[in-house]
């Protein structure tokens, strides 16, 4: 009997597009795949994923492509919009109509907020948002939640500290919104004043009675945190290079700062890291960001197999 018939054929644009139960089913499926690498191995044979990246990516694109190939399917697409007809002035709507007529599902990343939602309106095939500007990144959220679930053993009753560029960081926006649906999560937003979390996210947290506070100090708050979510300052979304240079090294997590952290705290980072986590932290058992990147592939396998109805 298919496990997730309800996800088949659906787009994923924002984290709330799937119910908590649907997400839990995806996490269980990802866990099964992690434990048995042959599980679902040929389930997507003959199916095509179009991967359209109008903005740079390493992990998201490669993990989607690896996921599709591991399921026995194939990928086509571009990693550089300069090599697509977007460079000739083709509209997103037209590009998507074409891709949807060639492929069974589309994964796309764009520098423009709302691009994936727009694409889904023109697409016959399901569209997966792999990042739309400073807005959302729901499959990173699935990755982050799966990592927490596997490493803490639960997605409830913990304090999460988001640190860095909370204004432009789409992974932060998506994860904070998603966690607002879980029980007993406290959030601490650590950022310089120029890069605070957007008001609309705070509005959602207030509506859901989520306890949160904002601070500029990582040192003062690190001792309270169970999950520390570090982020890089999003250079490409700044209007002014001088502001970027002034803010880029506001937070650097190093051994000294970690000495005040809980023994069981986990450190996440969507990656790429620039300077915000010192390399010396990589060998700290609390560093979970490389494991997190691997979970990203398993959860994307679960997602693709479910959306393509291959279970
Ligand atoms: C993130 C993104 O693209 O938003 N990267 C990723 O997908 N893992 C984070 C970032 O670029 O800083």
């Amino acid at each position: 009997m298919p496990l997730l018939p309800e996800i088949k054929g659906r787009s994923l644009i924002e984290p709330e597009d799937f119910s908590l139960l649907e997400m839990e089913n995806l996490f269980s499926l990802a866990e099964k795949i992690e434990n048995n690498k042959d599980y679902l191995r040929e389930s997507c044979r003959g199916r095509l994923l179009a991967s359209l990246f109008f903005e740079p990516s390493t992990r998201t694109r490669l993990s989607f492509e690896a996921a599709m190939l591991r399921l026995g399917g194939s990928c086509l697409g571009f990693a550089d919009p300069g090599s697509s007809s977007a460079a000739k002035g083709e509209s997103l709507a037209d590009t998507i109509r074409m891709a949807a007529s060639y492929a069974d599902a589309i994964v796309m990343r764009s520098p423009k907020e709302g691009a994936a939602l727009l694409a889904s309106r023109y697409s016959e095939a399901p569209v997966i948002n792999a990042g739309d500007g400073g807005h959302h990144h729901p499959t990173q959220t699935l990755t982050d939640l799966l990592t927490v679930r596997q490493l803490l053993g639960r997605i409830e009753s913990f304090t999460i500290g988001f640190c860095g560029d909370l204004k432009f960081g789409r992974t932060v926006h998506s994860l904070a919104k998603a966690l607002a649906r879980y029980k007993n999560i406290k959030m601490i937003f650590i950022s310089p004043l120029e890069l605070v979390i957007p008001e609309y996210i705070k509005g959602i947290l207030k509506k859901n009675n989520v306890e949160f506070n904002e601070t500029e100090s990582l040192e003062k708050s690190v001792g309270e945190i169970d999950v520390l979510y570090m982020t890089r300052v999003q250079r490409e979304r700044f209007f002014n290079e001088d502001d970027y240079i002034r803010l880029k090294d506001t937070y650097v997590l190093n051994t000294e700062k970690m000495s005040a952290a809980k023994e069981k705290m986990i450190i996440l980072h969507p990656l790429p890291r620039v300077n915000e986590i010192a390399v010396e932290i990589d060998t700290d058992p609390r560093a979970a960001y490389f494991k997190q990147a691997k979970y990203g592939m398993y959860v994307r396998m679960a997602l693709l197999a479910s959306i393509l109805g291959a279970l």
Side-chain angles (χ1 to χ4, degrees), residues 59-60 109 130 137 140 170-171 232 234 236 269-272:
R59 267 147 300 269
T60 306
R109 168 172 288 184
H137 192 345
Q140 182 64 45
R170 58 192 171 199
T171 63
R232 82 182 161 93
Q234 306 276 300
E236 65 276 35
H269 191 309
L271 302 175

Side-chain angles (χ1 to χ4, degrees), residues 57-311:
S57 171
T58 300
R59 267 147 300 269
T60 306
R61 188 173 65 82
L62 292 186
S63 65
F64 260 113
E65 295 186 3
M68 192 61 181
L69 296 172
R70 281 171 179 261
L71 294 168
S74 308
C75 307
L76 73 170
F78 52 83
D80 169 14
S83 67
S84 79
S85 281
K88 298 182 188 167
E90 183 170 58
S91 71
L92 177 64
D94 287 359
T95 304
I96 289 295
R97 278 194 189 104
M98 288 301 99
S101 68
Y102 304 145
D104 301 297
I106 295 172
V107 56
M108 64 168 283
R109 168 172 288 184
S110 166
K112 295 190 185 131
E113 286 81 8
L117 179 64
L118 181 88
S120 69
R121 297 199 170 136
Y122 287 94
S123 177
E124 281 169 35
V127 173
I128 302 169
N129 181 9
D132 60 326
H135 193 215
H136 281 295
H137 192 345
T139 67
Q140 182 64 45
T141 298
L142 292 175
T143 302
D144 302 337
L145 293 176
L146 175 63
T147 310
V148 170
R149 180 184 182 272
Q150 299 305 91
L151 301 184
L152 284 193
R154 63 184 191 280
I155 313 178
E156 60 176 38
S157 306
F158 61 80
T159 297
I160 181 164
F162 291 97
C163 179
D165 184 347
L166 311 186
K167 179 179 180 187
F168 296 117
R170 58 192 171 199
T171 63
V172 170
H173 305 161
S174 285
L175 183 55
K177 252 178 116 186
L179 281 172
R181 300 200 290 173
Y182 288 86
K183 284 194 210 111
N184 200 18
I185 307 284
K186 184 182 168 193
M187 304 188 191
I188 304 177
F189 295 109
I190 308 154
S191 73
L193 290 176
E194 291 94 330
L195 299 177
V196 294
I197 189 91
E199 282 300 322
Y200 88 93
I201 299 283
K202 287 198 263 179
I204 291 166
L205 300 182
K206 283 179 194 151
K207 220 170 112 196
N208 285 281
N209 295 316
V210 177
E211 187 185 341
F212 70 90
N213 61 51
E214 295 179 88
T215 172
E216 285 180 75
S217 171
L218 174 58
E219 283 87 341
K220 284 192 193 139
S221 37
V222 73
E224 278 181 65
I225 292 171
D226 301 300
V227 177
L228 177 59
Y229 196 91
M230 295 297 295
T231 61
R232 82 182 161 93
V233 175
Q234 306 276 300
R235 179 182 204 160
E236 65 276 35
R237 312 214 192 283
F238 273 68
F239 296 111
N240 173 337
E241 183 73 3
D242 290 344
D243 287 345
Y244 169 71
I245 290 168
R246 184 167 51 80
L247 294 168
K248 72 184 173 65
D249 291 329
T250 313
Y251 304 104
V252 180
L253 187 66
N254 55 19
T255 310
E256 193 195 325
K257 292 200 185 88
M258 281 299 288
S259 64
K262 290 186 184 174
E263 206 187 306
K264 291 258 154 58
M265 185 182 85
I266 58 173
I267 309 164
L268 301 184
H269 191 309
L271 302 175
R273 149 178 68 184
V274 181
N275 211 17
E276 55 284 346
I277 302 180
V279 176
E280 68 198 24
I281 300 298
D282 295 356
T283 49
D284 187 309
R286 293 168 286 189
Y289 29 94
F290 294 120
K291 244 185 235 165
Q292 180 187 0
K294 200 157 181 193
Y295 282 129
M297 183 181 71
Y298 298 132
V299 85
R300 287 175 176 117
M301 285 177 80
L303 179 68
L304 287 172
S306 306
I307 284 183
L308 292 170
L311 299 173

